Amino acid sequence: MSDSEAPPAVAPEGVSGARGLPQEALEIASGYAFAGPALDLGVLLWDERCLPDARIRIPLPVLNRHGLVAGATGTGKTKTLQLIAEQLSVQGVPVFLADIKGDVSGISAPGVSNDKVLARAQEVHQEWTPTACPAEFYALGGMGKGIPVRATVTSFGPVLLSKVLQLNQTQEQSLGLIFHYADQKGLELFDLKDLRAVVTFLTSDEGKTELKGIGGLSPATAGVILRSLTAFEAQGMSPFFGEPEFDTSELLRTAPDGRGTVSVLELPEVQDKPQLFSTFLMWMLADLFHDLPEVGDLDKPKLVFFFDEAHLLFTGASKAFLESITQTVRLIRSKGVGVFFVTQTPKDVPSDVLAQLGNRVQHALRAFTPDDQKALKATVKTFPNSAYDLEEVLTGIGTGEAVVTVLSEKGAPTPVAATRLRAPQSLMGPVDPAALDRAVQESPLYGRYAQAVDRESAYEKLAARDAAAAQAGRAPAKGGGRAKEEPSVVEQVVGSGIFKSLARSMGTQIGREITRSLFGTARRRR
């Protein structure tokens, strides 16, 4: 061999079938040759060739370092979620998925073989076997097919509620003061009528003195909040708030055979209410953060939470809201929870959050307009240096292909890899509606959450106060001579037996101080 001839490239240990490849491709392949348990995403694409023995994988222990699945509509993001969720379930890791279009329910049924699936499996050397995952189906407020998911207004908190009410920053702060008042007075805010009753009281003649004691809350702002709340109820939002409140620890369940349960939140019935469902997803995540203990880095995560249509969460968000998201994502990894945001481009996610997403699966992007081209360039800049021309690759890869970089077992970014993804082994589409109904009604959780409950709370307590005040106001004055000065309405209420009972209840509640997390969410254990 002459001096000018380079020796053939030698495949690194753990990468087979790659002899004769350019050195760049071998270096990429070696970056994914992990020793420990990992999820198989697919195989390396290089120079328009599919290299079936150069496997692209994600180490299981780093899935609590969060991730991003992005790409234009129709490029295969949903199938990627399904592929990852299946393998997590097999590894004993519970998964949460939001099903906005209604096509994720198929994860509960075995896949159907066809020429397309078999061709993909052969290309990537996948032993494809139809497999169903253990699954639970939920629906917000029972709207749609699923076990009803509700939150009490108290636990939802003022920051998240301000997002769905579309309040500005000043109004959000004022709503926080109203929550503080209700917490201190033992007025439980279980449903929307409870909150409306408290705000109505604070804007009444009797309540204005209480309003002054809160500080920083004007009657005008309280009135705006009341009108927003009334309009919100008029849109049919009441079923989402109330009891029994969903216990997010249900998302951590495993099946009897040890596989992780895939929890699917069915959202087709509320897909026209994006502010609501995206904020509800954040409540679930914040509630998990509030309750779970610190565990550090584990061999595998306790839960992987896929946050679909993530751009809806950030659109129009207040500064406080964005700061709370950033802190929650930063800190929840130490509680064993991994979060994957799913959206079209990385620019949909604020930079402070994006910086914490160590695992990236970027599907194809379009570049038809100047805005598209700008988004493409911004996306390329978020990746490590690469042997690929990423602008060309991201506009040229097909459906079911993606550009991948993940964290290695040591926490360092892997080389950027164009990847042909494996085929999911569960059904790629919705299950039969009758089968979905049957799965919901046969679930052991159905009896726990199906029927709404309306316990005594702020609405009933304030109604009792009004009744007591009205009764005291009708009582005739007693004794002769100079008439005793009629007591004020407040004095009448304070002297009533009902109020004394209410005061004892308040004292009990104040003794159980409500602690609130980053989002102002609170949890009262059942």
Side-chain angles (χ1 to χ4, degrees):
M1 182 173 62
S2 67
D3 293 341
S4 61
E5 293 177 315
V10 178
E13 185 179 352
V15 182
S16 61
R19 181 171 292 278
L21 287 179
Q23 186 64 36
E24 295 95 332
L26 289 175
E27 290 175 356
I28 293 171
S30 64
Y32 293 85
F34 307 122
L39 310 184
D40 279 308
L41 293 179
V43 301
L44 183 66
L45 287 171
W46 182 264
D47 197 20
E48 300 183 0
R49 292 171 55 195
C50 181
L51 309 178
D53 294 311
R55 295 157 64 195
I56 305 302
R57 311 163 74 215
I58 304 179
L60 189 61
V62 305
L63 282 162
N64 71 327
R65 304 295 183 93
H66 311 317
L68 176 75
V69 178
T73 301
T75 55
K77 295 193 299 294
T78 301
K79 301 301 179 287
T80 297
L81 304 188
Q82 198 167 339
L83 173 67
I84 296 174
E86 289 173 354
Q87 296 185 60
L88 285 167
S89 177
V90 170
Q91 298 273 10
V93 178
V95 178
F96 173 86
L97 295 171
D99 186 9
I100 294 173
K101 294 176 287 189
D103 55 357
V104 179
S105 60
I107 200 165
S108 64
V112 176
S113 176
N114 58 42
D115 292 343
K116 203 171 178 183
V117 168
L118 294 178
R120 174 59 62 98
Q122 184 176 7
E123 285 176 339
V124 300
H125 287 194
Q126 176 186 3
E127 294 183 8
W128 190 88
T129 305
T131 307
C133 294
E136 291 281 6
F137 298 97
Y138 301 97
L140 287 184
M143 294 183 66
K145 297 180 182 295
I147 298 162
V149 173
R150 306 178 189 87
T152 64
V153 172
T154 283
S155 73
F156 204 72
V159 178
L160 293 175
L161 191 59
S162 294
K163 183 74 160 58
V164 297
L165 292 177
Q166 299 182 20
L167 303 180
N168 63 31
Q169 186 170 347
T170 299
Q171 293 158 358
E172 176 185 311
Q173 292 168 348
S174 297
L175 185 61
L177 291 173
I178 293 170
F179 270 73
H180 176 71
Y181 173 80
D183 288 351
Q184 292 299 309
K185 297 298 183 181
L187 296 171
E188 300 93 341
L189 305 177
F190 290 158
D191 50 30
L192 292 179
K193 73 177 187 299
D194 289 325
L195 179 58
R196 179 161 39 81
V198 172
V199 180
T200 299
F201 169 69
L202 290 174
T203 54
S204 68
D205 291 339
E206 303 114 287
K208 286 178 181 178
T209 56
E210 298 283 316
L211 204 60
K212 291 177 182 178
I214 296 176
L217 177 59
S218 69
T221 301
V224 171
I225 293 172
L226 184 60
R227 289 192 293 275
S228 298
L229 189 58
T230 302
F232 187 67
E233 288 183 282
Q235 296 170 24
M237 302 299 191
S238 296
F240 306 111
F241 297 93
E243 292 189 303
E245 182 177 80
F246 182 68
D247 187 344
T248 53
S249 67
E250 309 283 13
L251 304 179
L252 305 176
R253 297 164 63 230
T254 56
D257 61 5
R259 289 182 297 165
T261 298
V262 180
S263 298
V264 182
L265 184 64
E266 293 292 331
L267 295 171
E269 296 296 324
V270 294
Q271 60 179 301
D272 60 337
K273 300 176 175 65
Q275 291 277 2
L276 177 72
F277 72 69
S278 63
T279 310
F280 244 95
L281 294 184
M282 197 65 232
W283 169 76
M284 298 174 87
L285 196 59
D287 194 68
L288 285 164
F289 173 79
H290 191 265
D291 289 348
L292 290 175
E294 295 278 341
V295 293
D297 290 325
L298 302 172
D299 292 337
K300 62 182 181 182
K302 287 185 175 182
L303 172 73
V304 175
F305 192 105
F306 288 94
F307 211 122
D308 207 355
E309 300 292 343
H311 65 283
L312 298 171
L313 182 68
F314 304 111
T315 302
S318 68
K319 182 180 179 182
F321 190 84
L322 293 176
E323 287 175 350
S324 296
I325 293 173
T326 303
Q327 286 185 277
T328 301
V329 173
R330 181 182 297 124
L331 298 175
I332 202 170
R333 56 160 286 218
S334 65
K335 300 193 173 192
V337 177
V339 183
F340 275 70
F341 290 96
V342 185
T343 188
Q344 294 204 358
T345 73
K347 74 181 184 68
D348 293 335
V349 181
S351 57
D352 287 345
V353 176
L354 189 63
Q356 299 175 58
L357 310 183
N359 303 299
R360 305 275 295 281
V361 181
Q362 176 68 59
H363 288 267
L365 290 173
R366 312 302 182 207
F368 300 142
T369 68
D371 285 344
D372 290 342
Q373 293 167 2
K374 186 176 180 180
L376 174 62
K377 291 181 182 296
T379 298
V380 169
K381 289 179 181 178
T382 66
F383 280 90
N385 291 334
S386 169
Y388 296 95
D389 180 342
L390 285 181
E391 286 193 32
E392 181 179 340
V393 170
L394 286 172
T395 53
I397 54 177
T399 301
E401 298 175 345
V403 171
V404 174
T405 180
V406 303
L407 294 179
S408 71
E409 294 160 311
K410 297 180 180 179
T414 59
V416 177
T419 306
R420 181 158 294 163
L421 300 168
R422 293 160 68 98
Q425 298 185 139
S426 56
L427 182 64
M428 289 187 276
V431 296
D432 180 73
L436 182 54
D437 286 336
R438 189 164 54 251
V440 171
Q441 292 175 11
E442 291 177 354
S443 168
L445 303 181
Y446 185 75
R448 191 179 306 169
Y449 296 107
Q451 189 63 44
V453 176
D454 189 9
R455 289 194 293 152
E456 183 187 56
S457 48
Y459 175 82
E460 288 78 14
K461 290 180 178 180
L462 290 171
R465 178 199 61 80
D466 289 341
Q471 184 178 10
R474 289 195 299 268
K478 293 184 180 181
R482 183 180 175 185
K484 184 179 178 181
E485 184 177 344
E486 185 176 347
S488 69
V489 172
V490 173
E491 290 171 332
Q492 293 170 11
V493 174
V494 169
S496 71
I498 292 178
F499 184 86
K500 291 176 181 177
S501 174
L502 174 59
R504 285 194 297 271
S505 173
M506 288 180 178
T508 302
Q509 292 296 335
I510 293 170
R512 292 188 289 134
E513 181 70 23
I514 296 176
T515 57
R516 294 191 174 273
S517 66
L518 294 172
F519 275 98
T521 56
R523 191 76 173 183
R524 287 206 184 123
R525 282 295 168 211
R526 290 160 293 280

